Amino acid sequence: MDNVTLIAIISIATAGLTISIGSIGPALGQGKAVASALASLAQQPDAAPTITRTLFVGLAMVESTAIYCFVVAMIIIFANPFWNYIISN
Amino acid sequence: MDNVTLIAIISIATAGLTISIGSIGPALGQGKAVASALASLAQQPDAAPTITRTLFVGLAMVESTAIYCFVVAMIIIFANPFWNYIISN
Amino acid sequence: MDNVTLIAIISIATAGLTISIGSIGPALGQGKAVASALASLAQQPDAAPTITRTLFVGLAMVESTAIYCFVVAMIIIFANPFWNYIISN
Amino acid sequence: MDNVTLIAIISIATAGLTISIGSIGPALGQGKAVASALASLAQQPDAAPTITRTLFVGLAMVESTAIYCFVVAMIIIFANPFWNYIISN
Amino acid sequence: MDNVTLIAIISIATAGLTISIGSIGPALGQGKAVASALASLAQQPDAAPTITRTLFVGLAMVESTAIYCFVVAMIIIFANPFWNYIISN
Amino acid sequence: MDNVTLIAIISIATAGLTISIGSIGPALGQGKAVASALASLAQQPDAAPTITRTLFVGLAMVESTAIYCFVVAMIIIFANPFWNYIISN
Amino acid sequence: MDNVTLIAIISIATAGLTISIGSIGPALGQGKAVASALASLAQQPDAAPTITRTLFVGLAMVESTAIYCFVVAMIIIFANPFWNYIISN
Amino acid sequence: MDNVTLIAIISIATAGLTISIGSIGPALGQGKAVASALASLAQQPDAAPTITRTLFVGLAMVESTAIYCFVVAMIIIFANPFWNYIISN
Amino acid sequence: MDNVTLIAIISIATAGLTISIGSIGPALGQGKAVASALASLAQQPDAAPTITRTLFVGLAMVESTAIYCFVVAMIIIFANPFWNYIISN
Amino acid sequence: MDNVTLIAIISIATAGLTISIGSIGPALGQGKAVASALASLAQQPDAAPTITRTLFVGLAMVESTAIYCFVVAMIIIFANPFWNYIISN
Amino acid sequence: MDNVTLIAIISIATAGLTISIGSIGPALGQGKAVASALASLAQQPDAAPTITRTLFVGLAMVESTAIYCFVVAMIIIFANPFWNYIISN
Amino acid sequence: MDNVTLIAIISIATAGLTISIGSIGPALGQGKAVASALASLAQQPDAAPTITRTLFVGLAMVESTAIYCFVVAMIIIFANPFWNYIISN
Amino acid sequence: MDNVTLIAIISIATAGLTISIGSIGPALGQGKAVASALASLAQQPDAAPTITRTLFVGLAMVESTAIYCFVVAMIIIFANPFWNYIISN
Amino acid sequence: MDNVTLIAIISIATAGLTISIGSIGPALGQGKAVASALASLAQQPDAAPTITRTLFVGLAMVESTAIYCFVVAMIIIFANPFWNYIISN
């Protein structure tokens, strides 16, 4: 179990856990926001443009935290500075 | 337990856990959104086109986090850069 | 405990856990969606075609995350690239 | 503790855990759907045919995730490719 | 601690855990369904035949996941293929 | 710590855990059903025969999962095939 | 740490855990049932005989799962077949 | 760490855990029952005799599971058959 | 780490855990009962004597489970039969 | 790591955990009781004397379980009989 | 790792955990009480003196359990009798 | 791993955990209090001075438990008596 | 497993966990805020400018805690002072 | 694994965990406060200045606990007194 292998296995495990744990919060938050949007549309159909516009901005904000996790997972897999340092030495 | 085996077992375990943990949030969020859509349809049948259109956009947003997990799991199984590095050395 | 055995046991354990953990979210989400559909049908029987059509699309979306897990579990059991690599070397 | 024994014990433990963990979600989801169906029947007895038909389709969808788990548990006990490979070598 | 003993202890522990963990979900789901049925009967006594018939079908569906667990536990205790293989070799 | 002792201790621990974990779900489910029955009786005293009959059938269904656990615990203590095999060899 | 001691300590620990874990579910379930009975009595004092009779039958059903645990704990302490086998050999 | 010490420490730890874990359920259940009784008394003061009588019977039933735990803890401390066997040999 | 020290440390740790875990349930249960009593007093001030009398009986019942834990903790610290046996031998 | 040190560290850790875990339940219970008292005062200002008197008695009862924990923690730190025995031998 | 170091590290860790775990309950309880006070003030502004006075007494009671934890943490850091004994020997 | 290092690492880890765990309760409690204050303001705008004054006193009380944690974390990092003792010896 | 490798693996794992755990709270909080905004828009369409402005300020506040986590994760990956110290020595 | 490395890895891990765990409570608390503010604005648009002013003060209070965590994480990474002591010796 040399150093290269150790960093490889920790990178694989971390990348998977990062995106899987990081998807729980955003998915639940978006589900709640969408559910509320649909109930609002049913209650006040005339406000549909305002509601859907606010919904999409909100979904984008919530999605941003999921994207942070995805970015970190991709960095760990494809642009890992520690991995580059180890295999270049 | 050589290095190739170690990376293989950590890749298998991580791929499975990534998609299984990553499916909890999206499934619950989508279930909540669909449930709200159906209640809205029953309350305001005239707004059905707006409701279903907003629902599908919302479901797609929620599904995106599940797809992030699926993509990472597939990368770990079929396009794992660490695995490729180890078996080519 | 040689390498082939190690990969076999991790594959068996991961496949089982993937589908069992991955079935919790979709089952709860679908149950919630179905429950809401039935309450909606009782409240507005005239909207039955729209409700059931939306329900089936929603159930299919939720089922998709369960199917991701099932696909990964099947890949790990029957088309495991790491297993194929180890037993062919 | 040779290789055959190791794979046997991991197969037994995984099969049991797969079906037991995998039964929690579907059972709760089905219970929720049935409870909602009964409340709907009491509220709108005239819609009984539509409600029960939708209920059975929904229960079948929820049951499908439990069946995925049962199938994987049966594969692990009776058609385990890793077990077959080990005992044939 | 030879191989036969190992498989025996893992079989005993798995059988017990399978049925005990597997009984939580169905029992809660059935309790919820029965509770809803009784409230429905009190609200609409005239629909008693439809409600009780739907209840029994639903309870049977929920019970099915408990029975999967019971079947797997019985297979592990009385028809365990791995145990048969080990004690016959 | 010979083989007979090992199987004995795992049998004792599993039997106790099986029935104790397995009693949580049924007890909560039955409590919920009984609570709902009493509320229904107070709301619609005239439907008492139907309500109590449905209650007892439902309690029996819920009790069945507790009995599965009790049966498995008794099998593990008094009719354990693995124990019989070990002490007869 | 000989065999007799091992079985003794596992028996003591299992007996205590069995009854303590096994008392959570029944106590909560009975508390819920009693709470519902009292609310029903306040709402419909005329139905007191029916309510209390149904309550006592329900409490007995819930108590039964606690008694299963107590019986198993007593068997493990005072009529443990594994203990009898070990100390007689 | 001889056998007598081992049994003594496991007995002490088990006795404490049995009564502490076993007090959670009954205390919460009794709290719920008492809370419901008080609300019922405020709603229907005329039914006070029936309500308090039913309350006391219910509290006694819930207390019984706490008493099972207390009895087992006392047996483990003061009438432990395994301890008696060990110190008499 | 001789026997006397072992029994001393396990006694200290058990006594602390017994009373701390054992205080969670009774405190929450009593808080719930008191909260309900105050709401009832506000709703029906004329029933104050009955309500407060029932409250005190109920609090005493809930307190009893906390007292069981306190008694066991005191026995373990000040009247521990296992400790007495060890230090007298 | 001699015996005196062992007992000292277990005493420090137990004292801290006892009071910290033991403060969760009483604090939540008291918060609930106070919240209910304030809502009751707002609803029925004329019953203020009865409400505050009952509140203080109830808070004292809930506080008692926190005081049990504090007493045990103080005994473990300042009047620990096991510590006294060890350092006097 | 001599005795002085061991007691020092256990004291540091326990002090931190004691106050951090011990702050969860009181903070939540106080938040609940304050929230209820504000709702009561909005509902019945005329009872403001009684409400705020009762609130402050209640907050002080809840704060007392947090202060117990703070006192124990301070004793462990600055007046630890076990530390004093060890460094004086 | 000498003594100075050990105390340093336990101090770093404890300081971080103390403030992070200790921030959960106060943040949730303050969020609840603020939410209730805003709802009260909307319901009774005339009582704004009383409500905001009570809110700020309550927030300060809740904040106090967070500050206890912060103080302990700062003591552990910058005024740690155990660290001072070790590095001065 | 030399020092450079150790710091690399702990940095990778910590960066991933920091952003994944740190995304749960903000995502849920933002989802709740967006859901409330949409319900408010449906209830009072005339207040849309005030509601959306307050929503965006609130989302930014909640996002700030997610950004703290992202900043720390980035510092750990790309500007880690401990890593720089180790590889420069 | 010398002392410098040990302190470095514990500092990295603690900094990440501190800010990630410490962001859960404030994010949820702020989300709740913002949600309540938006509902209040919809209910009473005339009170907007008071509501938003109170909201911002409350958000700042909640944010303070997140900032405590951020400060401690920054101290541990960039101004760690233990690290400075170790690398200067």
Side-chain angles (χ1 to χ4, degrees):
Chain A
M1 200 154 71
D2 59 0
N3 294 336
V4 170
T5 309
L6 257 177
I7 295 197
I9 67 176
I10 214 73
S11 299
I12 295 171
T14 303
L17 282 180
T18 300
I19 190 63
S20 62
I21 295 179
S23 76
I24 295 175
L28 292 178
Q30 289 181 335
K32 185 161 201 161
V34 173
S36 176
L38 296 169
S40 302
L41 282 175
Q43 186 187 338
Q44 194 83 4
D46 298 338
T50 314
I51 288 172
T52 52
R53 201 176 49 234
T54 309
L55 173 68
F56 294 156
V57 173
L59 287 181
M61 287 297 281
V62 180
E63 187 78 10
S64 71
T65 61
I67 287 175
Y68 293 165
C69 293
F70 191 59
V71 164
V72 170
M74 287 296 107
I75 288 174
I76 288 172
I77 294 181
F78 293 115
N80 193 326
F82 305 104
W83 170 259
N84 295 337
Y85 177 86
I86 292 286
I87 65 175
S88 66
N89 279 354
Chain B
M1 199 155 71
D2 59 0
N3 294 336
V4 170
T5 309
L6 257 178
I7 295 197
I9 66 176
I10 214 74
S11 299
I12 295 171
T14 303
L17 282 180
T18 301
I19 190 64
S20 62
I21 295 179
S23 76
I24 296 175
L28 293 178
Q30 289 181 335
K32 185 161 201 160
V34 173
S36 176
L38 296 169
S40 302
L41 282 175
Q43 187 187 338
Q44 195 82 6
D46 299 337
T50 314
I51 288 173
T52 51
R53 201 176 48 235
T54 309
L55 173 68
F56 294 156
V57 173
L59 287 181
M61 288 297 282
V62 180
E63 188 78 11
S64 72
T65 61
I67 288 175
Y68 292 166
C69 293
F70 192 59
V71 164
V72 171
M74 288 295 107
I75 287 173
I76 288 172
I77 294 181
F78 292 116
N80 193 326
F82 305 104
W83 170 260
N84 295 337
Y85 177 87
I86 292 287
I87 65 175
S88 67
N89 278 354
Chain C
M1 199 155 73
D2 59 358
N3 294 336
V4 169
T5 309
L6 257 178
I7 295 196
I9 67 176
I10 215 73
S11 298
I12 295 170
T14 304
L17 282 180
T18 300
I19 190 64
S20 62
I21 296 179
S23 76
I24 296 175
L28 292 178
Q30 289 182 336
K32 184 161 200 159
V34 173
S36 177
L38 296 169
S40 303
L41 282 175
Q43 186 188 338
Q44 195 81 5
D46 298 338
T50 314
I51 288 173
T52 51
R53 200 175 49 234
T54 309
L55 173 67
F56 294 156
V57 173
L59 287 181
M61 287 297 282
V62 179
E63 188 78 10
S64 71
T65 61
I67 287 175
Y68 293 165
C69 293
F70 192 59
V71 164
V72 171
M74 288 295 107
I75 287 173
I76 288 173
I77 294 181
F78 293 116
N80 193 326
F82 305 104
W83 170 259
N84 295 338
Y85 177 87
I86 292 287
I87 65 175
S88 66
N89 278 355
Chain D
M1 200 154 74
D2 59 359
N3 294 336
V4 170
T5 310
L6 257 178
I7 295 196
I9 68 176
I10 214 73
S11 298
I12 295 170
T14 304
L17 282 180
T18 299
I19 190 64
S20 62
I21 296 179
S23 75
I24 296 175
L28 292 178
Q30 288 182 335
K32 185 161 201 162
V34 173
S36 177
L38 297 169
S40 302
L41 282 175
Q43 187 188 338
Q44 195 82 6
D46 299 338
T50 314
I51 288 173
T52 51
R53 200 175 50 234
T54 309
L55 172 68
F56 293 156
V57 174
L59 287 181
M61 287 297 282
V62 180
E63 188 79 10
S64 71
T65 62
I67 288 176
Y68 292 165
C69 294
F70 192 59
V71 164
V72 170
M74 288 295 107
I75 287 173
I76 288 172
I77 294 181
F78 292 115
N80 193 326
F82 305 104
W83 170 258
N84 294 338
Y85 178 86
I86 292 286
I87 65 174
S88 67
N89 278 355
Chain E
M1 199 153 75
D2 58 358
N3 294 336
V4 169
T5 310
L6 256 178
I7 294 195
I9 68 177
I10 215 74
S11 298
I12 295 170
T14 303
L17 282 180
T18 300
I19 190 63
S20 63
I21 296 179
S23 76
I24 297 175
L28 292 178
Q30 288 181 335
K32 185 162 200 160
V34 173
S36 177
L38 297 169
S40 302
L41 282 175
Q43 188 188 336
Q44 195 81 6
D46 298 338
T50 314
I51 288 173
T52 50
R53 199 174 51 232
T54 309
L55 172 67
F56 293 157
V57 173
L59 287 181
M61 286 298 280
V62 180
E63 188 78 10
S64 71
T65 62
I67 287 176
Y68 293 165
C69 294
F70 192 59
V71 164
V72 171
M74 288 295 107
I75 287 173
I76 288 173
I77 294 181
F78 292 115
N80 193 327
F82 305 104
W83 170 258
N84 295 337
Y85 177 87
I86 291 287
I87 64 175
S88 67
N89 279 354
Chain F
M1 199 154 75
D2 58 359
N3 294 336
V4 169
T5 310
L6 256 178
I7 294 195
I9 67 177
I10 215 75
S11 298
I12 296 169
T14 303
L17 283 180
T18 299
I19 191 62
S20 62
I21 296 179
S23 76
I24 296 175
L28 293 178
Q30 288 181 336
K32 186 161 200 160
V34 173
S36 177
L38 297 168
S40 303
L41 282 175
Q43 188 187 336
Q44 195 82 5
D46 299 338
T50 314
I51 288 174
T52 51
R53 198 175 50 232
T54 309
L55 173 67
F56 293 157
V57 173
L59 287 181
M61 287 297 281
V62 180
E63 188 78 11
S64 71
T65 62
I67 288 175
Y68 293 165
C69 294
F70 192 59
V71 164
V72 171
M74 288 295 107
I75 288 173
I76 288 173
I77 294 181
F78 291 116
N80 193 327
F82 305 104
W83 171 258
N84 294 338
Y85 177 87
I86 291 287
I87 64 175
S88 67
N89 280 354
Chain G
M1 199 155 75
D2 58 359
N3 294 336
V4 169
T5 310
L6 257 178
I7 294 196
I9 67 177
I10 215 74
S11 298
I12 296 169
T14 302
L17 282 180
T18 299
I19 190 64
S20 62
I21 296 179
S23 76
I24 297 176
L28 292 179
Q30 288 181 335
K32 185 160 201 161
V34 173
S36 177
L38 297 168
S40 302
L41 283 175
Q43 188 188 335
Q44 194 82 5
D46 298 338
T50 314
I51 289 174
T52 50
R53 199 175 50 232
T54 309
L55 173 68
F56 293 157
V57 174
L59 287 181
M61 287 298 281
V62 180
E63 188 78 10
S64 72
T65 61
I67 287 175
Y68 293 165
C69 294
F70 192 58
V71 164
V72 170
M74 288 296 107
I75 287 173
I76 288 173
I77 294 182
F78 292 116
N80 193 326
F82 305 103
W83 170 259
N84 295 338
Y85 177 88
I86 292 287
I87 64 175
S88 66
N89 280 354
Chain H
M1 199 154 76
D2 58 359
N3 294 336
V4 169
T5 310
L6 257 178
I7 293 196
I9 67 177
I10 215 74
S11 298
I12 296 170
T14 302
L17 282 180
T18 299
I19 189 63
S20 62
I21 296 179
S23 76
I24 297 176
L28 292 178
Q30 288 181 335
K32 185 160 201 161
V34 173
S36 177
L38 297 168
S40 302
L41 283 175
Q43 187 189 333
Q44 194 81 5
D46 299 338
T50 314
I51 289 174
T52 50
R53 199 175 51 233
T54 308
L55 173 67
F56 293 157
V57 173
L59 287 180
M61 287 297 281
V62 180
E63 188 79 9
S64 72
T65 61
I67 288 175
Y68 293 165
C69 294
F70 193 58
V71 164
V72 171
M74 287 296 107
I75 287 173
I76 289 173
I77 294 182
F78 292 116
N80 193 327
F82 305 103
W83 170 258
N84 295 338
Y85 177 87
I86 292 287
I87 64 176
S88 66
N89 280 354
Chain I
M1 199 154 76
D2 57 359
N3 294 336
V4 169
T5 310
L6 257 177
I7 294 196
I9 67 176
I10 215 73
S11 298
I12 296 170
T14 302
L17 283 180
T18 299
I19 189 62
S20 62
I21 296 179
S23 76
I24 297 176
L28 292 179
Q30 289 181 335
K32 185 160 201 160
V34 173
S36 177
L38 297 169
S40 302
L41 283 175
Q43 188 189 334
Q44 194 82 5
D46 298 337
T50 313
I51 289 173
T52 51
R53 200 175 51 233
T54 308
L55 173 67
F56 293 156
V57 173
L59 287 181
M61 288 296 282
V62 180
E63 188 79 10
S64 71
T65 62
I67 287 175
Y68 293 165
C69 294
F70 192 59
V71 164
V72 171
M74 288 295 107
I75 287 173
I76 289 173
I77 294 182
F78 292 115
N80 193 327
F82 305 103
W83 170 258
N84 294 337
Y85 177 87
I86 291 287
I87 65 176
S88 66
N89 280 354
Chain J
M1 199 155 74
D2 58 359
N3 294 337
V4 169
T5 310
L6 257 177
I7 294 197
I9 66 176
I10 215 73
S11 298
I12 296 170
T14 302
L17 282 180
T18 299
I19 189 63
S20 62
I21 295 179
S23 75
I24 296 175
L28 293 178
Q30 288 181 335
K32 184 159 201 161
V34 173
S36 177
L38 296 169
S40 302
L41 283 175
Q43 187 189 334
Q44 193 83 2
D46 298 338
T50 314
I51 289 173
T52 50
R53 200 175 51 233
T54 309
L55 173 67
F56 293 157
V57 173
L59 288 181
M61 288 296 282
V62 180
E63 188 79 10
S64 71
T65 62
I67 287 175
Y68 293 165
C69 294
F70 192 59
V71 164
V72 171
M74 288 296 106
I75 287 172
I76 288 173
I77 295 182
F78 292 115
N80 194 326
F82 305 103
W83 170 258
N84 294 339
Y85 177 88
I86 292 286
I87 65 176
S88 66
N89 280 354
Chain K
M1 199 155 74
D2 58 0
N3 294 336
V4 170
T5 310
L6 256 178
I7 295 197
I9 66 176
I10 215 73
S11 298
I12 297 170
T14 302
L17 282 180
T18 299
I19 190 63
S20 62
I21 295 179
S23 76
I24 296 176
L28 292 178
Q30 289 181 335
K32 184 160 201 161
V34 173
S36 177
L38 297 169
S40 302
L41 282 175
Q43 187 188 335
Q44 194 83 2
D46 299 338
T50 315
I51 289 173
T52 50
R53 199 176 50 234
T54 308
L55 173 68
F56 293 156
V57 174
L59 287 181
M61 288 295 282
V62 179
E63 188 78 10
S64 71
T65 62
I67 287 176
Y68 293 165
C69 294
F70 192 58
V71 165
V72 170
M74 288 295 106
I75 287 173
I76 288 172
I77 294 182
F78 292 115
N80 193 325
F82 305 103
W83 170 258
N84 295 337
Y85 177 87
I86 291 286
I87 65 176
S88 67
N89 279 354
Chain L
M1 199 155 73
D2 58 0
N3 295 336
V4 170
T5 310
L6 256 178
I7 295 197
I9 67 176
I10 214 73
S11 298
I12 296 170
T14 303
L17 282 180
T18 300
I19 190 63
S20 62
I21 295 179
S23 76
I24 295 175
L28 292 178
Q30 290 181 335
K32 184 160 202 161
V34 173
S36 177
L38 297 169
S40 303
L41 283 175
Q43 187 187 335
Q44 193 84 1
D46 299 337
T50 315
I51 289 173
T52 51
R53 200 175 50 235
T54 308
L55 173 67
F56 294 157
V57 174
L59 287 181
M61 288 295 282
V62 180
E63 188 78 11
S64 72
T65 61
I67 287 175
Y68 293 164
C69 294
F70 192 59
V71 164
V72 171
M74 287 296 107
I75 288 173
I76 288 172
I77 295 182
F78 292 115
N80 193 325
F82 305 103
W83 170 258
N84 295 337
Y85 177 87
I86 291 286
I87 64 176
S88 67
N89 279 354
Chain M
M1 199 154 72
D2 59 0
N3 295 336
V4 170
T5 309
L6 257 178
I7 295 197
I9 67 176
I10 214 75
S11 299
I12 295 171
T14 303
L17 282 181
T18 300
I19 190 64
S20 62
I21 295 178
S23 76
I24 295 175
L28 292 179
Q30 289 182 335
K32 185 161 201 161
V34 173
S36 176
L38 297 169
S40 302
L41 282 175
Q43 187 187 338
Q44 194 83 2
D46 299 337
T50 314
I51 288 173
T52 52
R53 201 176 50 235
T54 308
L55 173 67
F56 294 156
V57 173
L59 287 181
M61 287 297 281
V62 180
E63 188 78 11
S64 72
T65 61
I67 287 175
Y68 292 165
C69 293
F70 192 59
V71 164
V72 171
M74 287 296 107
I75 287 173
I76 288 172
I77 294 181
F78 292 115
N80 193 326
F82 305 104
W83 170 259
N84 295 337
Y85 177 86
I86 292 286
I87 65 175
S88 67
N89 279 354
Chain N
M1 199 154 73
D2 59 0
N3 294 336
V4 170
T5 310
L6 256 178
I7 295 198
I9 67 176
I10 214 74
S11 298
I12 296 171
T14 303
L17 282 181
T18 300
I19 190 63
S20 62
I21 295 179
S23 76
I24 295 175
L28 292 179
Q30 289 181 335
K32 184 161 201 159
V34 173
S36 177
L38 296 169
S40 303
L41 282 175
Q43 187 187 337
Q44 194 84 1
D46 299 338
T50 314
I51 288 173
T52 51
R53 200 175 50 235
T54 308
L55 173 67
F56 294 156
V57 174
L59 287 181
M61 287 296 282
V62 179
E63 188 78 11
S64 71
T65 62
I67 288 176
Y68 292 165
C69 293
F70 192 59
V71 164
V72 171
M74 287 296 107
I75 287 173
I76 287 172
I77 294 181
F78 292 115
N80 193 326
F82 305 103
W83 170 258
N84 295 337
Y85 177 86
I86 292 286
I87 65 176
S88 67
N89 280 354

